[in-house]
Amino acid sequence: MTAQPDTFRHEGDDSPSIMEIVTSPRALTRETMAGIVTALALVPEVISFSFISGVDPKTALIASIVLCLSMSVLGGRPAMVTAAAGSIALVVGPMVKEYGVEYLLPTVVLAGIMQIGFGVSGMARLMRFVPRSVMIGFVNALGILIFAAQVPHILGVPAAVYPLFVLTLAIVLFLPRLTKIVPSALVAIVVVTSIVIFGGMSVPNVGAEGDMAPGLPGLTQLLVPLSMQTLSIIWAPALSVALVGLLETLLTAKLVDEMTDTRSHKGRESWGLGVSNILAGFYGGVGGCAMIGQTVVNVRIGRGRSRVSTFAAGIVLLLLVTVLSGVMAQIPMAALAAVMMIVAVDTVNWHSVRLSTLRLMPLPETFVMVTTVVLTLLTHNLAIGVGGGVIFAALMFARRVAHVIDVRRFEADGKVRYEVSGPLFFGSSNDLFERFRYADDPQHVTIDFAGAQIWDASTVASLDSIATRYHDRGHEVTFTGLDTRSAAFHGQLSGKLG
């Protein structure tokens, strides 16, 4: 397929279109089955995160339905699942605890407006500056967090839970060897739930995690005044929600791009997430972002590839919350935990931690990956982990590039010419001052920058210091070879930096 420019399209660049799906019974069945499995995988995570954000489980589930359905239409990454996520819950939880849940609606709406601004202004393109080592660290840390979140569901539980847990693992792992027509995770959940219901077994289930009463709420009411005092309370959490949600969403989109060998529209994903969060705020009350664990369920286990799979997930979740709330309440947590543990193991990039890979990988790259993982696990905040990883990677890059400049000295006919090559910025230009023989050089000195580029004010300041050092000794120094951009930048700042 010929590569298409990254422009606004209804279906993403290379993902199957809705018409291609609905006109193919096999593809439609596959996408629908993927949506069912994804909806079931969403339930325990959304309920668990609701307690962190300070809202009741029903509220988080309703918001997840709105997010899932709206992003199926508005999003720029088909097959990526968006719902009320733990990263957002961690951000808004402290605010809700201190000021009350009524401040959640304006916070989520303001965050959505910010995300629309980020998407329209093109800030989503900054994702290209996230190094591969940070991306791998993000994936590995997320796999660990997903796995750890399931452990409480299989510890300190009745003995009857463990056979159900093992049976779920067996079905998910071995059924694909016999058939892939129906997702093995869906079969496992249906079989285990049926055993529990018809066997009259008493084991922890979804209903024990929170109120599963059927029905839908009305619109979320604004219970706080639109004043400067309210803004002073919500602006910082709203900014955090916007940035954390956008970061996790774009990282997940990048991961799905690699998994499916297709491209996504990052700008559309950004403003689409903003609109969806505003909608979820008014009907549900909780914000969200992409959920990588459930996305992996959809893409890898369910083999979902289009918007149909995520739209189906939203519809199934809606049915579970309303018509089938009684059935959903009886799903054993052990079955859902087993599925998510397999997802967690599958999420980790095991190739990146093999000894053979670590021996070949440059040490700074490994340090960046480990830094991302450690920071994420310590804070349980993917944004902090990725942000720390990016900063560390930038420092490592600056350190390496700082040593690639070269200065050569040529002397002839009583004149000296220096040739400087390499990128000149704060990391490399600070040492440039030491590379010249001020006391030994003759009256006329030429410094040729044909092989170099000036990138910041630190370099201009260093060049001014070099010129001043020569002039103080009565020498004449000339800078030559600067490209047009570097010459203009130097002329703009030289002599004006103090």
PDB file of all heavy atoms in Angstrom, residues 43-61 84-86 89-90 92-94 96-97 153 205-212 286 333:
ATOM      1  N   VAL A  43     -13.766  -3.913  32.932  1.00  0.00           N
ATOM      2  CA  VAL A  43     -14.567  -3.827  34.156  1.00  0.00           C
ATOM      3  C   VAL A  43     -13.733  -3.798  35.436  1.00  0.00           C
ATOM      4  O   VAL A  43     -13.857  -2.868  36.243  1.00  0.00           O
ATOM      5  CB  VAL A  43     -15.612  -4.959  34.205  1.00  0.00           C
ATOM      6  CG1 VAL A  43     -16.299  -4.997  35.561  1.00  0.00           C
ATOM      7  CG2 VAL A  43     -16.635  -4.782  33.093  1.00  0.00           C
ATOM      8  N   PRO A  44     -12.867  -4.789  35.685  1.00  0.00           N
ATOM      9  CA  PRO A  44     -12.134  -4.767  36.974  1.00  0.00           C
ATOM     10  C   PRO A  44     -11.180  -3.603  37.104  1.00  0.00           C
ATOM     11  O   PRO A  44     -11.016  -3.045  38.193  1.00  0.00           O
ATOM     12  CB  PRO A  44     -11.385  -6.106  36.963  1.00  0.00           C
ATOM     13  CG  PRO A  44     -11.243  -6.457  35.522  1.00  0.00           C
ATOM     14  CD  PRO A  44     -12.502  -5.962  34.872  1.00  0.00           C
ATOM     15  N   GLU A  45     -10.536  -3.209  35.993  1.00  0.00           N
ATOM     16  CA  GLU A  45      -9.585  -2.100  36.060  1.00  0.00           C
ATOM     17  C   GLU A  45     -10.299  -0.786  36.367  1.00  0.00           C
ATOM     18  O   GLU A  45      -9.863  -0.010  37.230  1.00  0.00           O
ATOM     19  CB  GLU A  45      -8.826  -1.988  34.731  1.00  0.00           C
ATOM     20  CG  GLU A  45      -7.995  -3.203  34.378  1.00  0.00           C
ATOM     21  CD  GLU A  45      -6.878  -3.419  35.372  1.00  0.00           C
ATOM     22  OE1 GLU A  45      -6.072  -2.499  35.577  1.00  0.00           O
ATOM     23  OE2 GLU A  45      -6.807  -4.511  35.952  1.00  0.00           O
ATOM     24  N   VAL A  46     -11.386  -0.537  35.662  1.00  0.00           N
ATOM     25  CA  VAL A  46     -12.125   0.708  35.861  1.00  0.00           C
ATOM     26  C   VAL A  46     -12.674   0.789  37.283  1.00  0.00           C
ATOM     27  O   VAL A  46     -12.607   1.838  37.939  1.00  0.00           O
ATOM     28  CB  VAL A  46     -13.266   0.823  34.831  1.00  0.00           C
ATOM     29  CG1 VAL A  46     -14.175   2.004  35.177  1.00  0.00           C
ATOM     30  CG2 VAL A  46     -12.699   0.994  33.432  1.00  0.00           C
ATOM     31  N   ILE A  47     -13.215  -0.331  37.772  1.00  0.00           N
ATOM     32  CA  ILE A  47     -13.755  -0.350  39.145  1.00  0.00           C
ATOM     33  C   ILE A  47     -12.649  -0.092  40.166  1.00  0.00           C
ATOM     34  O   ILE A  47     -12.813   0.691  41.110  1.00  0.00           O
ATOM     35  CB  ILE A  47     -14.453  -1.688  39.420  1.00  0.00           C
ATOM     36  CG1 ILE A  47     -15.729  -1.805  38.585  1.00  0.00           C
ATOM     37  CG2 ILE A  47     -14.796  -1.817  40.904  1.00  0.00           C
ATOM     38  CD1 ILE A  47     -16.417  -3.146  38.695  1.00  0.00           C
ATOM     39  N   SER A  48     -11.500  -0.740  39.976  1.00  0.00           N
ATOM     40  CA  SER A  48     -10.383  -0.557  40.905  1.00  0.00           C
ATOM     41  C   SER A  48      -9.904   0.883  40.922  1.00  0.00           C
ATOM     42  O   SER A  48      -9.639   1.458  41.980  1.00  0.00           O
ATOM     43  CB  SER A  48      -9.230  -1.491  40.516  1.00  0.00           C
ATOM     44  OG  SER A  48      -9.621  -2.844  40.598  1.00  0.00           O
ATOM     45  N   PHE A  49      -9.799   1.498  39.741  1.00  0.00           N
ATOM     46  CA  PHE A  49      -9.300   2.864  39.661  1.00  0.00           C
ATOM     47  C   PHE A  49     -10.307   3.870  40.195  1.00  0.00           C
ATOM     48  O   PHE A  49      -9.939   4.980  40.580  1.00  0.00           O
ATOM     49  CB  PHE A  49      -8.934   3.209  38.207  1.00  0.00           C
ATOM     50  CG  PHE A  49      -7.808   2.384  37.651  1.00  0.00           C
ATOM     51  CD1 PHE A  49      -7.760   2.059  36.301  1.00  0.00           C
ATOM     52  CD2 PHE A  49      -6.787   1.933  38.471  1.00  0.00           C
ATOM     53  CE1 PHE A  49      -6.725   1.299  35.790  1.00  0.00           C
ATOM     54  CE2 PHE A  49      -5.744   1.171  37.970  1.00  0.00           C
ATOM     55  CZ  PHE A  49      -5.710   0.860  36.619  1.00  0.00           C
ATOM     56  N   SER A  50     -11.593   3.504  40.210  1.00  0.00           N
ATOM     57  CA  SER A  50     -12.611   4.441  40.700  1.00  0.00           C
ATOM     58  C   SER A  50     -12.390   4.783  42.167  1.00  0.00           C
ATOM     59  O   SER A  50     -12.634   5.915  42.595  1.00  0.00           O
ATOM     60  CB  SER A  50     -14.012   3.852  40.499  1.00  0.00           C
ATOM     61  OG  SER A  50     -14.222   2.736  41.347  1.00  0.00           O
ATOM     62  N   PHE A  51     -11.913   3.804  42.947  1.00  0.00           N
ATOM     63  CA  PHE A  51     -11.676   4.047  44.363  1.00  0.00           C
ATOM     64  C   PHE A  51     -10.510   5.017  44.566  1.00  0.00           C
ATOM     65  O   PHE A  51     -10.481   5.794  45.508  1.00  0.00           O
ATOM     66  CB  PHE A  51     -11.408   2.731  45.085  1.00  0.00           C
ATOM     67  CG  PHE A  51     -12.566   1.767  45.016  1.00  0.00           C
ATOM     68  CD1 PHE A  51     -12.451   0.550  44.369  1.00  0.00           C
ATOM     69  CD2 PHE A  51     -13.781   2.086  45.590  1.00  0.00           C
ATOM     70  CE1 PHE A  51     -13.510  -0.329  44.304  1.00  0.00           C
ATOM     71  CE2 PHE A  51     -14.857   1.213  45.525  1.00  0.00           C
ATOM     72  CZ  PHE A  51     -14.726   0.002  44.875  1.00  0.00           C
ATOM     73  N   ILE A  52      -9.540   4.969  43.643  1.00  0.00           N
ATOM     74  CA  ILE A  52      -8.399   5.888  43.718  1.00  0.00           C
ATOM     75  C   ILE A  52      -8.841   7.316  43.415  1.00  0.00           C
ATOM     76  O   ILE A  52      -8.400   8.272  44.059  1.00  0.00           O
ATOM     77  CB  ILE A  52      -7.294   5.456  42.735  1.00  0.00           C
ATOM     78  CG1 ILE A  52      -6.789   4.050  43.083  1.00  0.00           C
ATOM     79  CG2 ILE A  52      -6.131   6.450  42.753  1.00  0.00           C
ATOM     80  CD1 ILE A  52      -5.790   3.499  42.079  1.00  0.00           C
ATOM     81  N   SER A  53      -9.723   7.468  42.432  1.00  0.00           N
ATOM     82  CA  SER A  53     -10.158   8.809  42.038  1.00  0.00           C
ATOM     83  C   SER A  53     -11.217   9.379  42.961  1.00  0.00           C
ATOM     84  O   SER A  53     -11.547  10.570  42.873  1.00  0.00           O
ATOM     85  CB  SER A  53     -10.693   8.778  40.594  1.00  0.00           C
ATOM     86  OG  SER A  53     -11.777   7.883  40.483  1.00  0.00           O
ATOM     87  N   GLY A  54     -11.795   8.540  43.845  1.00  0.00           N
ATOM     88  CA  GLY A  54     -12.751   9.043  44.823  1.00  0.00           C
ATOM     89  C   GLY A  54     -14.185   9.080  44.339  1.00  0.00           C
ATOM     90  O   GLY A  54     -15.000   9.831  44.890  1.00  0.00           O
ATOM     91  N   VAL A  55     -14.508   8.299  43.292  1.00  0.00           N
ATOM     92  CA  VAL A  55     -15.887   8.248  42.803  1.00  0.00           C
ATOM     93  C   VAL A  55     -16.387   6.812  42.917  1.00  0.00           C
ATOM     94  O   VAL A  55     -15.610   5.879  43.103  1.00  0.00           O
ATOM     95  CB  VAL A  55     -15.976   8.720  41.336  1.00  0.00           C
ATOM     96  CG1 VAL A  55     -15.480  10.143  41.205  1.00  0.00           C
ATOM     97  CG2 VAL A  55     -15.177   7.796  40.408  1.00  0.00           C
ATOM     98  N   ASP A  56     -17.723   6.639  42.790  1.00  0.00           N
ATOM     99  CA  ASP A  56     -18.253   5.282  42.893  1.00  0.00           C
ATOM    100  C   ASP A  56     -18.025   4.536  41.589  1.00  0.00           C
ATOM    101  O   ASP A  56     -17.873   5.157  40.524  1.00  0.00           O
ATOM    102  CB  ASP A  56     -19.743   5.317  43.239  1.00  0.00           C
ATOM    103  CG  ASP A  56     -20.569   5.955  42.133  1.00  0.00           C
ATOM    104  OD1 ASP A  56     -20.934   5.250  41.191  1.00  0.00           O
ATOM    105  OD2 ASP A  56     -20.835   7.168  42.225  1.00  0.00           O
ATOM    106  N   PRO A  57     -17.956   3.198  41.617  1.00  0.00           N
ATOM    107  CA  PRO A  57     -17.649   2.400  40.422  1.00  0.00           C
ATOM    108  C   PRO A  57     -18.588   2.663  39.250  1.00  0.00           C
ATOM    109  O   PRO A  57     -18.144   2.680  38.097  1.00  0.00           O
ATOM    110  CB  PRO A  57     -17.774   0.964  40.923  1.00  0.00           C
ATOM    111  CG  PRO A  57     -17.517   1.044  42.390  1.00  0.00           C
ATOM    112  CD  PRO A  57     -18.080   2.353  42.823  1.00  0.00           C
ATOM    113  N   LYS A  58     -19.875   2.856  39.524  1.00  0.00           N
ATOM    114  CA  LYS A  58     -20.840   3.085  38.446  1.00  0.00           C
ATOM    115  C   LYS A  58     -20.490   4.344  37.654  1.00  0.00           C
ATOM    116  O   LYS A  58     -20.591   4.382  36.424  1.00  0.00           O
ATOM    117  CB  LYS A  58     -22.239   3.209  39.053  1.00  0.00           C
ATOM    118  CG  LYS A  58     -23.361   3.218  38.042  1.00  0.00           C
ATOM    119  CD  LYS A  58     -23.538   1.840  37.434  1.00  0.00           C
ATOM    120  CE  LYS A  58     -24.815   1.803  36.585  1.00  0.00           C
ATOM    121  NZ  LYS A  58     -26.030   1.828  37.397  1.00  0.00           N
ATOM    122  N   THR A  59     -20.058   5.383  38.363  1.00  0.00           N
ATOM    123  CA  THR A  59     -19.668   6.632  37.706  1.00  0.00           C
ATOM    124  C   THR A  59     -18.505   6.407  36.749  1.00  0.00           C
ATOM    125  O   THR A  59     -18.514   6.889  35.605  1.00  0.00           O
ATOM    126  CB  THR A  59     -19.271   7.686  38.755  1.00  0.00           C
ATOM    127  OG1 THR A  59     -20.400   7.982  39.570  1.00  0.00           O
ATOM    128  CG2 THR A  59     -18.765   8.956  38.100  1.00  0.00           C
ATOM    129  N   ALA A  60     -17.484   5.667  37.210  1.00  0.00           N
ATOM    130  CA  ALA A  60     -16.321   5.399  36.374  1.00  0.00           C
ATOM    131  C   ALA A  60     -16.679   4.542  35.163  1.00  0.00           C
ATOM    132  O   ALA A  60     -16.155   4.741  34.063  1.00  0.00           O
ATOM    133  CB  ALA A  60     -15.232   4.721  37.199  1.00  0.00           C
ATOM    134  N   LEU A  61     -17.572   3.579  35.348  1.00  0.00           N
ATOM    135  CA  LEU A  61     -17.994   2.724  34.236  1.00  0.00           C
ATOM    136  C   LEU A  61     -18.764   3.518  33.182  1.00  0.00           C
ATOM    137  O   LEU A  61     -18.554   3.338  31.972  1.00  0.00           O
ATOM    138  CB  LEU A  61     -18.844   1.565  34.756  1.00  0.00           C
ATOM    139  CG  LEU A  61     -18.092   0.462  35.511  1.00  0.00           C
ATOM    140  CD1 LEU A  61     -19.069  -0.480  36.208  1.00  0.00           C
ATOM    141  CD2 LEU A  61     -17.193  -0.318  34.557  1.00  0.00           C
ATOM    142  N   ALA A  84     -11.721   5.269  31.695  1.00  0.00           N
ATOM    143  CA  ALA A  84     -11.276   5.906  32.938  1.00  0.00           C
ATOM    144  C   ALA A  84     -10.045   5.169  33.448  1.00  0.00           C
ATOM    145  O   ALA A  84     -10.144   4.034  33.918  1.00  0.00           O
ATOM    146  CB  ALA A  84     -12.390   5.873  33.977  1.00  0.00           C
ATOM    147  N   ALA A  85      -8.882   5.788  33.341  1.00  0.00           N
ATOM    148  CA  ALA A  85      -7.610   5.110  33.578  1.00  0.00           C
ATOM    149  C   ALA A  85      -7.020   5.428  34.944  1.00  0.00           C
ATOM    150  O   ALA A  85      -7.334   6.449  35.564  1.00  0.00           O
ATOM    151  CB  ALA A  85      -6.608   5.489  32.486  1.00  0.00           C
ATOM    152  N   GLY A  86      -6.134   4.546  35.395  1.00  0.00           N
ATOM    153  CA  GLY A  86      -5.498   4.695  36.691  1.00  0.00           C
ATOM    154  C   GLY A  86      -4.594   5.908  36.778  1.00  0.00           C
ATOM    155  O   GLY A  86      -4.484   6.538  37.836  1.00  0.00           O
ATOM    156  N   ALA A  89      -6.727   8.760  37.573  1.00  0.00           N
ATOM    157  CA  ALA A  89      -7.220   8.625  38.950  1.00  0.00           C
ATOM    158  C   ALA A  89      -6.167   9.070  39.954  1.00  0.00           C
ATOM    159  O   ALA A  89      -6.476   9.720  40.964  1.00  0.00           O
ATOM    160  CB  ALA A  89      -7.627   7.178  39.214  1.00  0.00           C
ATOM    161  N   LEU A  90      -4.908   8.741  39.698  1.00  0.00           N
ATOM    162  CA  LEU A  90      -3.830   9.129  40.601  1.00  0.00           C
ATOM    163  C   LEU A  90      -3.670  10.648  40.666  1.00  0.00           C
ATOM    164  O   LEU A  90      -3.268  11.198  41.695  1.00  0.00           O
ATOM    165  CB  LEU A  90      -2.517   8.483  40.150  1.00  0.00           C
ATOM    166  CG  LEU A  90      -2.377   6.976  40.384  1.00  0.00           C
ATOM    167  CD1 LEU A  90      -1.158   6.427  39.653  1.00  0.00           C
ATOM    168  CD2 LEU A  90      -2.280   6.679  41.872  1.00  0.00           C
ATOM    169  N   VAL A  92      -6.232  13.044  39.986  1.00  0.00           N
ATOM    170  CA  VAL A  92      -7.388  13.756  40.548  1.00  0.00           C
ATOM    171  C   VAL A  92      -7.745  13.294  41.954  1.00  0.00           C
ATOM    172  O   VAL A  92      -8.444  14.018  42.682  1.00  0.00           O
ATOM    173  CB  VAL A  92      -8.624  13.599  39.633  1.00  0.00           C
ATOM    174  CG1 VAL A  92      -8.341  14.148  38.251  1.00  0.00           C
ATOM    175  CG2 VAL A  92      -9.082  12.146  39.556  1.00  0.00           C
ATOM    176  N   GLY A  93      -7.264  12.124  42.353  1.00  0.00           N
ATOM    177  CA  GLY A  93      -7.604  11.587  43.669  1.00  0.00           C
ATOM    178  C   GLY A  93      -7.314  12.531  44.827  1.00  0.00           C
ATOM    179  O   GLY A  93      -8.197  12.789  45.663  1.00  0.00           O
ATOM    180  N   PRO A  94      -6.095  13.084  44.924  1.00  0.00           N
ATOM    181  CA  PRO A  94      -5.790  14.003  46.033  1.00  0.00           C
ATOM    182  C   PRO A  94      -6.692  15.236  46.050  1.00  0.00           C
ATOM    183  O   PRO A  94      -7.085  15.702  47.122  1.00  0.00           O
ATOM    184  CB  PRO A  94      -4.324  14.384  45.767  1.00  0.00           C
ATOM    185  CG  PRO A  94      -3.774  13.239  44.986  1.00  0.00           C
ATOM    186  CD  PRO A  94      -4.897  12.770  44.129  1.00  0.00           C
ATOM    187  N   VAL A  96      -9.827  15.463  44.866  1.00  0.00           N
ATOM    188  CA  VAL A  96     -11.163  15.049  45.298  1.00  0.00           C
ATOM    189  C   VAL A  96     -11.193  14.837  46.807  1.00  0.00           C
ATOM    190  O   VAL A  96     -12.152  15.216  47.490  1.00  0.00           O
ATOM    191  CB  VAL A  96     -11.591  13.764  44.556  1.00  0.00           C
ATOM    192  CG1 VAL A  96     -12.876  13.193  45.157  1.00  0.00           C
ATOM    193  CG2 VAL A  96     -11.770  14.047  43.069  1.00  0.00           C
ATOM    194  N   LYS A  97     -10.134  14.249  47.334  1.00  0.00           N
ATOM    195  CA  LYS A  97     -10.064  13.993  48.768  1.00  0.00           C
ATOM    196  C   LYS A  97     -10.027  15.283  49.570  1.00  0.00           C
ATOM    197  O   LYS A  97     -10.637  15.392  50.648  1.00  0.00           O
ATOM    198  CB  LYS A  97      -8.835  13.141  49.085  1.00  0.00           C
ATOM    199  CG  LYS A  97      -8.737  12.724  50.541  1.00  0.00           C
ATOM    200  CD  LYS A  97      -7.533  11.818  50.762  1.00  0.00           C
ATOM    201  CE  LYS A  97      -7.431  11.381  52.224  1.00  0.00           C
ATOM    202  NZ  LYS A  97      -6.261  10.491  52.449  1.00  0.00           N
ATOM    203  N   HIS A 153      -6.023 -10.161  43.896  1.00  0.00           N
ATOM    204  CA  HIS A 153      -7.219 -10.953  43.590  1.00  0.00           C
ATOM    205  C   HIS A 153      -6.987 -12.461  43.746  1.00  0.00           C
ATOM    206  O   HIS A 153      -7.951 -13.231  43.696  1.00  0.00           O
ATOM    207  CB  HIS A 153      -7.695 -10.660  42.168  1.00  0.00           C
ATOM    208  CG  HIS A 153      -8.123  -9.241  41.953  1.00  0.00           C
ATOM    209  ND1 HIS A 153      -9.066  -8.619  42.732  1.00  0.00           N
ATOM    210  CD2 HIS A 153      -7.718  -8.304  41.047  1.00  0.00           C
ATOM    211  CE1 HIS A 153      -9.237  -7.376  42.325  1.00  0.00           C
ATOM    212  NE2 HIS A 153      -8.425  -7.159  41.302  1.00  0.00           N
ATOM    213  N   ASN A 205     -16.239 -11.798  43.344  1.00  0.00           N
ATOM    214  CA  ASN A 205     -16.662 -11.488  41.988  1.00  0.00           C
ATOM    215  C   ASN A 205     -16.725  -9.984  41.777  1.00  0.00           C
ATOM    216  O   ASN A 205     -16.426  -9.191  42.678  1.00  0.00           O
ATOM    217  CB  ASN A 205     -18.009 -12.150  41.679  1.00  0.00           C
ATOM    218  CG  ASN A 205     -19.081 -11.767  42.704  1.00  0.00           C
ATOM    219  OD1 ASN A 205     -19.033 -10.692  43.288  1.00  0.00           O
ATOM    220  ND2 ASN A 205     -20.032 -12.669  42.934  1.00  0.00           N
ATOM    221  N   VAL A 206     -17.112  -9.589  40.564  1.00  0.00           N
ATOM    222  CA  VAL A 206     -17.155  -8.165  40.214  1.00  0.00           C
ATOM    223  C   VAL A 206     -18.132  -7.414  41.112  1.00  0.00           C
ATOM    224  O   VAL A 206     -17.892  -6.276  41.508  1.00  0.00           O
ATOM    225  CB  VAL A 206     -17.539  -8.004  38.732  1.00  0.00           C
ATOM    226  CG1 VAL A 206     -17.803  -6.532  38.407  1.00  0.00           C
ATOM    227  CG2 VAL A 206     -16.446  -8.555  37.835  1.00  0.00           C
ATOM    228  N   GLY A 207     -19.247  -8.055  41.453  1.00  0.00           N
ATOM    229  CA  GLY A 207     -20.245  -7.404  42.292  1.00  0.00           C
ATOM    230  C   GLY A 207     -19.726  -7.012  43.647  1.00  0.00           C
ATOM    231  O   GLY A 207     -20.212  -6.040  44.246  1.00  0.00           O
ATOM    232  N   ALA A 208     -18.727  -7.733  44.140  1.00  0.00           N
ATOM    233  CA  ALA A 208     -18.160  -7.416  45.450  1.00  0.00           C
ATOM    234  C   ALA A 208     -17.273  -6.176  45.412  1.00  0.00           C
ATOM    235  O   ALA A 208     -16.920  -5.623  46.457  1.00  0.00           O
ATOM    236  CB  ALA A 208     -17.357  -8.604  45.970  1.00  0.00           C
ATOM    237  N   GLU A 209     -16.898  -5.745  44.214  1.00  0.00           N
ATOM    238  CA  GLU A 209     -16.000  -4.601  44.073  1.00  0.00           C
ATOM    239  C   GLU A 209     -16.745  -3.264  44.161  1.00  0.00           C
ATOM    240  O   GLU A 209     -16.132  -2.224  44.376  1.00  0.00           O
ATOM    241  CB  GLU A 209     -15.259  -4.681  42.739  1.00  0.00           C
ATOM    242  CG  GLU A 209     -14.371  -5.912  42.596  1.00  0.00           C
ATOM    243  CD  GLU A 209     -13.187  -5.873  43.542  1.00  0.00           C
ATOM    244  OE1 GLU A 209     -12.535  -4.812  43.627  1.00  0.00           O
ATOM    245  OE2 GLU A 209     -12.917  -6.894  44.192  1.00  0.00           O
ATOM    246  N   GLY A 210     -18.059  -3.272  43.941  1.00  0.00           N
ATOM    247  CA  GLY A 210     -18.817  -2.030  43.993  1.00  0.00           C
ATOM    248  C   GLY A 210     -20.250  -2.242  43.560  1.00  0.00           C
ATOM    249  O   GLY A 210     -20.627  -3.316  43.095  1.00  0.00           O
ATOM    250  N   ASP A 211     -21.047  -1.198  43.708  1.00  0.00           N
ATOM    251  CA  ASP A 211     -22.477  -1.269  43.389  1.00  0.00           C
ATOM    252  C   ASP A 211     -22.679  -1.475  41.893  1.00  0.00           C
ATOM    253  O   ASP A 211     -22.205  -0.696  41.074  1.00  0.00           O
ATOM    254  CB  ASP A 211     -23.160   0.016  43.831  1.00  0.00           C
ATOM    255  CG  ASP A 211     -24.654  -0.002  43.517  1.00  0.00           C
ATOM    256  OD1 ASP A 211     -25.220  -1.108  43.444  1.00  0.00           O
ATOM    257  OD2 ASP A 211     -25.232   1.084  43.350  1.00  0.00           O
ATOM    258  N   MET A 212     -23.390  -2.522  41.511  1.00  0.00           N
ATOM    259  CA  MET A 212     -23.658  -2.834  40.116  1.00  0.00           C
ATOM    260  C   MET A 212     -25.151  -2.724  39.799  1.00  0.00           C
ATOM    261  O   MET A 212     -25.675  -3.453  38.958  1.00  0.00           O
ATOM    262  CB  MET A 212     -23.171  -4.261  39.800  1.00  0.00           C
ATOM    263  CG  MET A 212     -21.673  -4.413  39.812  1.00  0.00           C
ATOM    264  SD  MET A 212     -20.879  -3.469  38.492  1.00  0.00           S
ATOM    265  CE  MET A 212     -20.008  -2.243  39.458  1.00  0.00           C
ATOM    266  N   VAL A 286     -15.915  11.530  35.162  1.00  0.00           N
ATOM    267  CA  VAL A 286     -14.504  11.190  35.323  1.00  0.00           C
ATOM    268  C   VAL A 286     -13.811  11.250  33.975  1.00  0.00           C
ATOM    269  O   VAL A 286     -14.383  10.842  32.959  1.00  0.00           O
ATOM    270  CB  VAL A 286     -14.338   9.776  35.918  1.00  0.00           C
ATOM    271  CG1 VAL A 286     -12.866   9.464  36.168  1.00  0.00           C
ATOM    272  CG2 VAL A 286     -15.128   9.645  37.199  1.00  0.00           C
ATOM    273  N   MET A 333     -13.543 -12.601  39.917  1.00  0.00           N
ATOM    274  CA  MET A 333     -12.364 -11.753  39.762  1.00  0.00           C
ATOM    275  C   MET A 333     -11.147 -12.560  39.379  1.00  0.00           C
ATOM    276  O   MET A 333     -10.243 -12.067  38.699  1.00  0.00           O
ATOM    277  CB  MET A 333     -12.102 -10.996  41.065  1.00  0.00           C
ATOM    278  CG  MET A 333     -13.152  -9.936  41.400  1.00  0.00           C
ATOM    279  SD  MET A 333     -13.348  -8.674  40.115  1.00  0.00           S
ATOM    280  CE  MET A 333     -11.713  -7.948  40.097  1.00  0.00           C
TER     281      MET A 333
END
